[in-house]
């Protein structure tokens, strides 16, 4: 099969089918109402995240309209709503500061290409392997960063220089303390309070929009000295690639991969959350990556920033009764109408009001009950969560996820090491008859003596679990600290996995036992474990001597014969010595 054929099949697999598109007509009234509700919630968030990213309010609206529509049609979830998000804003802020608006648009375009490639490579399933403590940790970290980013706007001061949000927030507080003006603080706190209290009293009402409208009207009527969004273009710009500088692409690629990784992770998390909130919906991971890729390819052409699936807006969509992807399309269409028809009204919104919206959003992102439940599962999970959150605040999201994954990997390896063990087992258990058969009685006292001799001089060790590098050295210590024995049988039928480190340490243990004069026999090696053992020559000497057996009974029979031959040789030497002494 040619490469072109494979690519063609992969593309057809991620495109929406006729059956998927037909679902948009099954409950149009529900979808229209849900889409309108989501648009009302999304408007202040799109404006706020656009401003927070540094690209401007118009960039946030363009992202919500263009990316929201394309991801709705081509995505893998019927209920997902996409647009600018707080997590993506956290990543975009340093990119805007370093490369400017053109740089962040280029990064979004490149991230779209990466997402499409991931979809064609069918990489969606791998995103499910991110551990829960890492997800919760960077969610908490994102919430902290979003809140810190809003401090300058809430205090009514210009954003100070700096990349770290904590440092920027501290500088903003110092500027405010030098010349305090409380109007912006009052607006931000009032909006945040209305949202946090209102959602508890009436969860169905869009308190974010209500609070923003009230703050805008009050600021205009009273004449509060607060900064506003300012002029917005009445409509989307014509699509253009004027921002693209090919010479800057190599420098922007690392940022593009980071944005693509975050877009993939957050979008699939959001789609999974939508599945959990619905009854019968199940998303297609690869198709979702493809839809997000197309959305991020198109949004920069209209001045929009990178987009992802938005968990908060998706949750509103599901709870509002959305039945298909038509609801997300309606959300994008309503926002487009606002862009074209209501730009002058939007321009008068105080920046402090949007800061209050995002502060309240950050607070609501932290689910205290989930964090407590996760902390109760173990200290390791709690440590991973805290480490990931701290790394998010100190560095960036991608670095935080990498750190969290590494920490989770260390915990997993520690669990593997605890699972692997070496256990001395009684030899009689290996000679037990098949079920339904009786154990034969000893035929003579000599047989009883033989069993006692076996128990005294032959020891069988059963190795259980994975023999990997995390557990290998503990295995060596346990095996070689045993008392001196004549024969050691290593039973390996219950070894679930073995790597190069485990094979090497097994070889070291065999060498040490042989150095002590112990005959080492190995039994029950699985077929799939021969490769690492043979590659390192661990069993070459034993195999040449005939000391590798398929089953434990054969190994025991060989050990018994070895002891009998050794005793017979010793008796012969003793007799010969005695005869020589008499003659002398």
């Amino acid at each position: 099969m040619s490469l072109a054929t494979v690519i063609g099949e992969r593309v057809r697999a991620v495109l929406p089918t006729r059956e998927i598109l037909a679902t948009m007509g099954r409950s149009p009234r529900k979808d229209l109402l849900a889409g309108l509700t989501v648009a009302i919630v999304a408007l202040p968030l799109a404006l706020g995240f656009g401003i927070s990213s540094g690209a401007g309010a118009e960039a946030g609206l363009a992202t919500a309209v263009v990316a929201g529509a394309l991801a709705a049609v081509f995505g893998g979830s019927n209920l997902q709503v996409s647009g600018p998000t707080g997590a993506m804003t956290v990543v975009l802020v340093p990119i805007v500061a370093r490369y400017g608006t053109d740089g962040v648009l280029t990064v979004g375009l490149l991230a779209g290409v990466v997402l499409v490639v991931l979809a064609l490579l069918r990489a969606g399933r791998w995103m499910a392997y991110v551990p829960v403590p890492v997800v919760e940790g960077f969610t908490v970290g994102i919430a902290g960063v979003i809140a810190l980013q809003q401090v300058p706007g809430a205090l009514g001061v210009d954003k100070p220089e700096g990349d770290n949000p904590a440092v920027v927030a501290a500088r903003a507080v110092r500027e405010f303390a030098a010349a305090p003006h409380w109007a912006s603080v009052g607006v931000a706190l009032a909006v945040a309070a209305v949202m946090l209290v209102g959602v508890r009293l009436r969860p169905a009402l869009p308190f974010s929009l209500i609070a923003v409208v009230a703050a805008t009207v009050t600021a205009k009527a009273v004449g509060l000295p607060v900064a506003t969004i300012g002029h917005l273009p009445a409509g989307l710009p014509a699509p253009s690639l004027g921002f693209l500088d090919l010479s800057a692409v190599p420098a922007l690629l690392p940022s593009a991969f980071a944005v693509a990784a975050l877009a993939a992770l957050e979008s699939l998390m959001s789609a999974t959350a939508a599945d959990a909130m619905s009854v019968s919906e199940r998303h297609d991971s690869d198709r979702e990556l493809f839809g997000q890729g197309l959305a991020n390819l198109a949004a920069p052409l209209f001045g929009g920033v990178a987009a992802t699936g938005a968990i908060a807006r998706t949750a509103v969509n599901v709870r509002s009764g959305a039945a298909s992807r038509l609801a997300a399309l309606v959300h994008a269409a309503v926002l487009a109408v606002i862009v074209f028809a209501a730009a002058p009204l939007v321009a008068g919104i105080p920046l402090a009001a949007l800061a209050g919206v995002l502060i309240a959003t950050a607070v609501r992102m932290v689910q205290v009950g989930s964090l407590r439940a996760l902390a109760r599962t173990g200290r390791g999970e709690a440590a991973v969560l805290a480490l990931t959150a701290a790394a998010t605040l100190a560095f960036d999201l991608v670095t935080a996820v990498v750190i969290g994954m590494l920490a989770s990997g260390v915990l997993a390896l520690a669990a593997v090491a605890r699972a692997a063990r070496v256990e001395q087992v009684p030899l009689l258990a290996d000679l037990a008859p098949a079920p339904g058969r009786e154990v034969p009685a000893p035929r003579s006292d000599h047989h009883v003596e033989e069993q006692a001799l076996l128990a005294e001089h032959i020891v069988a060790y059963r190795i259980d679990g994975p023999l990997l590098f995390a557990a290998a050295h503990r295995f060596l210590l346990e095996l070689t600290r045993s008392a001196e024995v004549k024969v050691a049988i290593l039973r390996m039928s219950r070894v679930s996995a073995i790597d190069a480190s485990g094979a090497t340490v097994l070889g070291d243990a065999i060498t040490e036992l042989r150095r002590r004069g112990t005959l080492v026999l190995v039994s029950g090696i699985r077929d799939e474990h021969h490769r690492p053992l043979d590659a390192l020559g661990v069993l070459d000497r034993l195999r040449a001597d005939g000391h590798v057996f398929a089953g434990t009974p054969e190994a025991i029979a060989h050990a018994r014969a070895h002891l009998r031959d050794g005793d017979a040789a010793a008796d012969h030497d003793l007799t010969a010595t005695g005869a020589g002494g008499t003659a002398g």
Side-chain angles (χ1 to χ4, degrees), residues 536-559:
L536 296 172
V538 172
L539 302 179
D540 288 354
R541 181 73 178 274
L542 295 183
R543 192 174 281 113
D545 293 341
H547 293 165
V548 178
F549 301 90
T552 304
E554 295 94 325
I556 293 174
H558 184 89

Side-chain angles (χ1 to χ4, degrees), residues 250-274:
L252 294 171
L253 276 177
S255 298
F257 283 115
V259 168
L262 177 60
L265 182 61
E266 189 174 14
S267 297
L268 295 180
M269 283 172 48
S270 178
T272 302

